[in-house]
Amino acid sequence: MKCMDVVYTKEDKPREMCGLFGVFGVEYAASLIYQGLFSQQHRGQEGAGIVVSDGMKVHSLKGQGLVSDIFEADAWDRLPGYLGIGHVRYSTTGSTRIQNVQPLVVECVDGIWAVAHNGNLVNAARLRRMYQEAGAIFQTSTDSEVLVHLLADPMYRSRPRRVARALNEIQGSFSFLIMTKDALMAARDPLGFKPLSIGRLGEGYVVASETCALNQIGAKYLRDVEPGELVTIDKEGLHSHRFAERPRQHLAQCVFEMVYFARPDSLVFGKNVHLVRQQYGRCLAREHAVDADIVIAIPDSGNSAALGYSQESGIPLNYGFIRNHYVGRTFIMPEADARTRGVDMKLAVLPEVVRDQRVVVVDDSIVRGTTARRRVACLREAGAKEIHLRISCPPTANPCFFGIDFPSKEELIAGVHDVGGVCEYLGADSLGYLSVEGLLSPFDKPENFCTACFTGDYPVDISAMHGKESLETHTHESNE
Ligand code: SF4
């Protein structure tokens, strides 16, 4: 197969979820939220929004596309306030349309509420149907909107700890930022699927999905929001409250954050992502040693593991692919054709480095196999003598229902082929995946991680789950 002959219909990576950023007690909150979202752009590129409050009025701005395209230079004049929340989106439920861009902003009987969500609610369809049958109107096709209805429900509104009670009704994976005109709230689901960290900036507070966003604005990392914890920040300071009992079972922190999603400079679930990936590479070198001349990475997400593989094996690291940084992270683009076009432009092989070499190629994961196949073909065409693929996670054989847009089992190449079959499809000389033990080896409490996409062992009941557009029960096209 020739590099230029390959036709791609699907991207070879899971697509991401969302990034959250909240600020309390800092002047020009909107500008900080912009920077926080910008540094988490890798978590979603479909749309972004910012909602701020000056204590009296709430202002919002959102749009589709990249953060830098949505917010123009004069945006800050229209977004005055000392408190606010922001969101970058990749849709894991609901289609790509402006109504689905978050934060969602609603006016309830007691004022404005804004909600931003990262994750996937497994009981959203049931709750939505319940409210619709009672006459409620939904504006979006996202699962996140059910929380808005719970917050507005008189049954919860009249009770103390209303937000905590509403959070108790939803199941699945979630990190939420919730805002009123004078308070910021942050919550993580009881199993802790998604990361959410708190930082301090002067006298104010910031909350972000990833700590790289805290670093970006010069905030000091304070701690993570605990699984099952609701943190409220207002003029009185920071208050903590558990909305759910500590689970009897283990936590289910998403290990794929470590493998691929998070930025290497982030601290996620208490660990630096780069160092964890480097350790994966070392482990991979021990588990799948091979005689070779050079180690190369699939940039950028394979960089840290390739470094680890090289260090452990003693095989020199080199640049075999150069990434075009002006092409977006193609796998986040939701439309298949956009992904296809982007993939072709994203990486260029360096023939002068790989020609006549036995090459170890380190990548973070293989989902459908289409892109990996193309890269093997490119390396062959560039003259590589042998190609040994090493993947810094186990075979991805099962879909995710917790906020990552993995395809169905039938579309996952490891869902339908064993390792030998995958290797043959890719056209590599050998293929080695990291073991599940290796994947969990950097953690003191490996039982606190979800590994369902590798093992099929789902930490919550997924029987009610359907596809990402499962809440779009009626077709509605809008040209807004
Ligand atoms: S199934 Fe995989 S991607 Fe989904 S939450 Fe679990 S580890 Fe993360």
Side-chain angles (χ1 to χ4, degrees):
M1 178 179 0
K2 284 200 163 192
C3 178
M4 299 308 293
D5 292 341
V6 182
V7 176
Y8 296 91
T9 53
K10 298 277 187 178
E11 180 49 59
D12 194 21
K13 293 290 175 189
R15 280 161 281 151
E16 311 205 14
M17 45 252 171
C18 303
L20 308 177
F21 196 83
V23 172
F24 184 93
V26 183
E27 258 192 288
Y28 305 111
S31 138
L32 289 177
I33 296 168
Y34 174 87
Q35 293 174 60
L37 295 182
F38 189 73
S39 58
Q40 296 183 103
Q41 186 77 83
H42 59 287
R43 298 184 73 86
Q45 297 183 330
E46 278 183 39
I50 294 177
V51 181
V52 291
S53 168
D54 56 12
M56 302 296 288
K57 273 192 168 170
V58 171
H59 307 265
S60 69
L61 187 60
K62 60 184 188 175
Q64 289 178 287
L66 299 175
V67 172
S68 55
D69 296 334
I70 296 164
F71 303 102
E72 292 166 352
D74 66 345
W76 319 133
D77 298 337
R78 291 187 278 148
L79 294 169
Y82 67 91
L83 120 91
I85 62 175
H87 188 265
V88 286
R89 175 168 199 265
Y90 173 79
S91 57
T92 51
T93 68
S95 59
T96 308
R97 54 180 164 111
I98 186 69
Q99 292 93 332
N100 287 345
V101 175
Q102 298 188 22
L104 305 176
V105 186
V106 292
E107 187 177 339
C108 295
V109 70
D110 58 349
I112 303 275
W113 289 74
V115 167
H117 173 212
N118 173 25
N120 221 31
L121 306 180
V122 297
N123 63 341
R126 182 181 64 75
L127 288 169
R128 185 182 176 102
R129 200 165 45 248
M130 184 185 85
Y131 279 112
Q132 282 178 325
E133 282 170 4
I137 295 166
F138 280 73
Q139 293 287 322
T140 77
S141 58
T142 68
D143 57 341
S144 320
E145 196 176 356
V146 297
L147 182 66
V148 171
H149 284 267
L150 284 163
L151 291 170
D153 190 323
M155 193 168 84
Y156 298 95
R157 216 173 57 226
S158 58
R159 296 186 185 183
R161 296 190 169 155
R162 155 200 199 173
V163 178
R165 285 177 186 276
L167 289 169
N168 239 319
E169 290 296 319
I170 53 179
Q171 295 161 4
S173 68
F174 58 87
S175 284
F176 270 110
L177 290 182
I178 303 167
M179 188 194 119
T180 63
K181 71 177 171 39
D182 50 17
L184 168 67
M185 286 158 265
R188 256 176 99 196
D189 70 70
L191 297 183
F193 276 98
K194 306 294 174 195
L196 195 61
S197 301
I198 309 170
R200 201 83 216 245
L201 185 67
E203 296 299 303
Y205 290 92
V206 288
V207 186
S209 292
E210 285 189 41
T211 60
C212 66
L214 304 183
N215 302 339
Q216 172 77 34
I217 60 160
K220 189 166 173 290
Y221 169 74
L222 209 56
R223 68 175 177 90
D224 286 353
V225 176
E226 293 293 318
E229 182 187 18
L230 169 64
V231 171
T232 304
I233 305 167
D234 57 22
K235 287 217 163 96
E236 311 300 317
L238 184 151
H239 324 272
S240 169
H241 173 73
R242 287 203 67 81
F243 66 88
E245 296 298 315
R246 286 183 202 282
R248 282 166 204 248
Q249 65 186 106
H250 303 301
L251 299 181
Q253 299 168 124
C254 173
V255 79
F256 225 98
E257 291 279 352
M258 295 301 185
V259 170
Y260 169 70
F261 295 130
R263 248 173 60 164
D265 54 332
S266 284
L267 196 68
V268 172
F269 308 135
K271 291 274 185 189
N272 170 263
V273 173
H274 162 70
L275 293 179
V276 168
R277 288 180 188 164
Q278 192 178 5
Q279 202 170 328
Y280 285 164
R282 284 182 172 278
C283 194
L284 197 51
R286 290 193 294 274
E287 291 182 352
H288 298 285
V290 64
D291 277 338
D293 302 309
I294 54 169
V295 175
I296 65 171
I298 299 293
D300 289 331
S301 46
N303 288 349
S304 304
L307 175 65
Y309 195 102
S310 168
Q311 289 170 331
E312 186 71 19
S313 64
I315 302 169
L317 184 68
N318 209 329
Y319 294 111
F321 285 104
I322 299 298
R323 180 173 172 189
N324 181 349
H325 285 271
Y326 298 95
V327 179
R329 292 184 86 181
T330 54
F331 38 87
I332 305 179
M333 297 178 194
E335 302 301 329
D337 67 326
R339 296 201 299 270
T340 304
R341 278 185 272 109
V343 166
D344 290 336
M345 297 170 65
K346 189 175 155 193
L347 289 189
V349 70
L350 272 168
E352 294 79 4
V353 171
V354 302
R355 189 175 298 129
D356 298 326
Q357 300 292 297
R358 297 170 300 166
V359 184
V360 176
V361 185
V362 181
D363 200 357
D364 58 90
S365 57
I366 300 175
V367 178
R368 290 185 171 92
T370 48
T371 315
R373 189 175 189 223
R374 175 173 195 270
R375 286 175 183 153
V376 170
C378 285
L379 288 166
R380 289 251 186 255
E381 197 179 344
K385 202 156 69 183
E386 291 175 19
I387 300 164
H388 303 281
L389 267 180
R390 296 294 179 265
I391 308 301
S392 60
C393 71
T396 312
N398 305 284
C400 171
F401 298 97
F402 311 119
I404 315 298
D405 191 17
F406 275 138
S408 66
K409 190 171 178 74
E410 294 69 39
E411 292 176 283
L412 290 164
I413 191 159
V416 291
H417 291 293
D418 62 12
V419 175
V422 176
C423 185
E424 192 178 330
Y425 173 78
L426 300 179
D429 294 285
S430 75
L431 170 65
Y433 286 95
L434 186 67
S435 65
V436 173
E437 295 71 35
L439 180 76
L440 297 174
S441 62
F443 310 115
D444 298 336
K445 293 189 174 169
E447 65 276 14
N448 279 343
F449 284 82
C450 174
T451 57
C453 48
F454 308 116
T455 59
D457 186 9
Y458 290 96
V460 298
D461 181 12
I462 51 153
S463 52
M465 291 308 293
H466 304 290
K468 79 172 198 172
E469 292 177 10
S470 60
L471 299 181
E472 307 215 37
T473 46
H474 304 281
T475 305
H476 168 224
E477 293 284 342
S478 168
N479 294 318
E480 272 184 87

